[in-house]
């Protein structure tokens, strides 16, 4: 595979050397790594690591798996019956060094537990949950992640008691992004759980949350370090008077 000639400022080596096209397998490991970091984990595991031996050596290096993006590319949708096996393999490749992981689709409580059991230093967890029944598994998982700093839950209907466990288990939590399925289950009780157990929050994003002015006031009082507050489609809030200011 050939690429166009590069300028002197480009980090890539020239595509033509001594009148012949240069083989991509001959690229330095750091350049290969730079290319691969622009791909998601699924693309690396299903395609990139099969390019050649030199690419595979980089693909299985522990340093490649400190951050894992398991979001499913559109061209792979419907082809990932083995998604959980693939995700577990990616976690294994990190050899305990995983710091950030983002997942959507095909999530089970057993998969989240597998990740937590092997990633005690995890700092960021983000997932899209299309199965509301599985949301209760969050509390079981975060109890094993005391270093967690950022948690993003999308399309969930998380219970107040589960969110309290998150706050109590993750004293380093700085960012919470919560996107609810609807107003049901995401209300002032959830807001109070945030206010009472997450005083160290710096960034809070709530989407389609049913909290009222009461819940919002509790958050503002209980999270004094909050610097960024994003409220999207939270229709029960009426910003007037002191609350507006």
């Amino acid at each position: 595979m050939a690429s166009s000639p590069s300028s002197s400022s480009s980090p890539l080596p020239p595509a033509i050397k001594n009148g012949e096209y240069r083989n991509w397998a001959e690229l330095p490991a750091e350049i290969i790594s730079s290319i691969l970091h622009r791909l998601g984990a699924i693309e690396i595991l299903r395609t990139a690591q099969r390019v050649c031996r030199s690419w595979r050596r980089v693909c299985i290096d522990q340093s490649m798996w400190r951050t894992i993006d398991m979001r499913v590319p559109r061209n792979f949708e419907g082809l990932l019956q083995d998604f959980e096996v693939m995700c577990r393999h990616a976690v294994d490749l990190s050899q305990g060094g995983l710091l950030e992981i983002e997942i959507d689709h095909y999530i089970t409580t057993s998969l989240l537990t597998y990740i937590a059991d092997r990633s005690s230093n995890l700092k960021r967890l983000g997932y899209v949950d299309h199965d509301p029944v599985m949301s209760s598994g969050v509390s079981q998982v975060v109890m094993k992640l005391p270093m967690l700093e950022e948690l993003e839950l999308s399309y969930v209907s998380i219970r107040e008691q589960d969110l309290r466990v998150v706050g109590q288990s993750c004293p380093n939590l700085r960012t919470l992004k919560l996107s609810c399925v609807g107003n049901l289950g995401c209300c002032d009780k959830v807001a109070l759980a945030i206010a009472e157990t997450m005083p160290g929050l710096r960034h809070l994003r709530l989407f389609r949350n049913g909290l009222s002015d009461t819940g919002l006031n509790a958050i503002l009082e209980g999270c004094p370090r909050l610097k960024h507050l994003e409220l999207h489609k939270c229709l029960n809030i009426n910003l007037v008077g002191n609350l507006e200011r």
Side-chain angles (χ1 to χ4, degrees):
M1 181 176 181
S3 60
S4 59
S6 59
S7 66
S8 58
S9 62
S10 172
L12 293 176
I16 300 178
K17 185 178 182 180
N18 298 328
E20 297 181 359
Y21 284 102
R22 185 166 183 168
N23 191 326
W24 275 45
E26 297 176 356
L27 290 173
E30 60 271 19
I31 299 299
I32 298 176
S33 177
S34 178
I35 294 171
L36 295 176
H37 272 109
R38 290 165 170 77
L39 304 177
I42 293 173
E43 295 166 308
I44 293 174
L45 294 174
R46 287 185 65 95
T47 58
Q49 70 169 345
R50 300 177 182 179
V51 170
C52 59
R53 290 181 180 178
S54 61
W55 279 51
R56 176 167 174 75
R57 282 195 296 270
V58 176
C59 285
I60 64 176
D61 187 88
Q62 177 188 4
S63 64
M64 284 292 301
W65 302 98
R66 294 192 181 104
T67 298
I68 295 178
D69 181 356
M70 288 297 296
R71 290 175 296 181
V72 182
R74 290 184 179 180
N75 54 315
F76 286 105
E77 289 180 357
L79 302 175
L80 295 179
Q81 296 83 358
D82 57 347
F83 176 87
E84 184 162 339
V85 173
M86 190 179 304
C87 187
R88 291 180 181 227
H89 179 48
V91 172
D92 291 341
L93 287 171
S94 74
Q95 299 180 45
L98 181 60
L99 299 178
E100 301 181 18
I101 187 166
E102 189 157 358
I103 319 172
D104 65 2
H105 302 290
Y106 313 104
I107 307 169
T108 63
T109 301
S110 63
L111 175 57
L112 286 179
T113 301
Y114 188 89
I115 294 169
D117 286 342
R118 290 156 180 80
S119 311
S120 59
N121 293 317
L122 193 70
K123 293 186 176 181
R124 182 181 186 278
L125 170 63
Y127 78 83
V128 178
D129 180 10
H130 294 286
D131 180 5
V133 176
M134 214 279 294
S135 297
S136 60
V138 173
S139 59
Q140 303 172 27
V141 171
V142 297
M143 291 176 67
K144 303 178 181 182
L145 302 173
M147 304 302 292
L148 201 65
E149 296 179 0
E150 181 174 345
L151 178 63
E152 181 172 359
L153 307 175
S154 299
Y155 299 101
V156 300
S157 182
I158 191 167
R159 301 177 303 176
E160 169 207 358
Q161 55 266 42
D162 293 323
L163 207 54
R164 286 186 181 277
V165 173
V166 172
Q168 293 164 356
S169 303
C170 306
N172 296 318
L173 196 66
R174 298 293 180 266
T175 299
L176 176 66
K177 300 178 181 180
L178 183 62
S179 301
C180 297
V181 175
N183 288 346
L184 293 177
C186 292
C187 55
D188 281 340
K189 289 185 178 180
V190 167
L192 289 173
I194 294 172
E196 294 173 1
T197 65
M198 304 179 188
L201 279 184
R202 267 69 162 180
H203 186 175
L204 175 62
R205 184 176 72 191
L206 299 176
F207 180 76
R208 287 183 177 175
N209 195 292
L211 82 167
S212 68
D213 289 4
T214 300
L216 180 56
N217 266 314
I219 289 174
L220 294 176
E221 292 177 3
C223 305
R225 299 181 181 180
L226 202 61
K227 294 183 178 180
H228 302 281
L229 175 62
E230 301 177 47
L231 303 173
H232 302 278
K233 296 189 177 181
C234 299
L235 304 181
N236 293 333
I237 294 177
N238 183 24
L239 296 178
V240 294
N242 291 334
L243 186 60
E244 181 178 18
R245 286 192 291 272

